[in-house]
Amino acid sequence: MNLSIDMKELDNDIHVKVSGEIDAYTAPKLKESLQPVAEKENSQLIVDLSDVSYMDSTGLGVFVGLFKTVKAGGGELHLVGLSDRLQRLFDITGLGDIMNIDSKVKGGVE
């Protein structure tokens, strides 16, 4: 169970590329990495999930927490590059209607 997180910050825009699996073992690492940038005022957090092969409810919980934190600081969380499987996961839980989700990747980390 491997998770890679690459992050680039440009002013208030934070581009994050997540690769691997997000589950009960790796979700704490994801939360620990993204929570500090989510707490920045007026941040635009763009998370590319195109290389995420698996995510369970623990991963969903991380994104719900990030969404609340970013929104409380006047910013926005954008999830991009979701596979059909991940998109379905967000839609089934109703989070697809609340969060900014786009199947296409915008910008990103190289």
Side-chain angles (χ1 to χ4, degrees):
M1 302 198 197
N2 196 11
L3 183 71
S4 170
I5 304 163
D6 295 311
M7 192 176 324
K8 284 189 180 177
E9 286 186 60
L10 299 167
D11 299 319
N12 284 342
D13 287 352
I14 301 113
H15 295 264
V16 181
K17 173 85 170 168
V18 181
S19 304
E21 298 180 357
I22 305 171
D23 57 23
Y25 298 102
T26 60
K29 176 183 176 184
L30 180 64
K31 182 178 179 180
E32 181 181 302
S33 297
L34 298 183
Q35 192 66 33
V37 293
E39 293 173 354
K40 291 185 175 186
E41 291 291 315
N42 302 312
S43 65
Q44 301 298 309
L45 183 56
I46 302 163
V47 182
D48 178 358
L49 299 174
S50 59
D51 289 339
V52 172
S53 57
Y54 174 82
M55 183 166 59
D56 66 11
S57 60
T58 313
L60 282 176
V62 170
F63 287 110
V64 168
L66 289 173
F67 175 75
K68 289 179 178 179
T69 301
V70 170
K71 191 170 182 172
E76 292 183 12
L77 171 64
H78 297 271
L79 303 179
V80 299
L82 279 71
S83 65
D84 289 342
R85 184 177 184 170
L86 288 182
Q87 182 68 54
R88 222 173 12 258
L89 185 61
F90 280 90
D91 289 343
I92 288 171
T93 59
L95 295 172
D97 296 330
I98 299 169
M99 295 183 173
N100 296 318
I101 298 177
D102 190 345
S103 59
K104 296 181 179 114
V105 177
K106 302 175 189 174
V109 176
E110 297 176 13

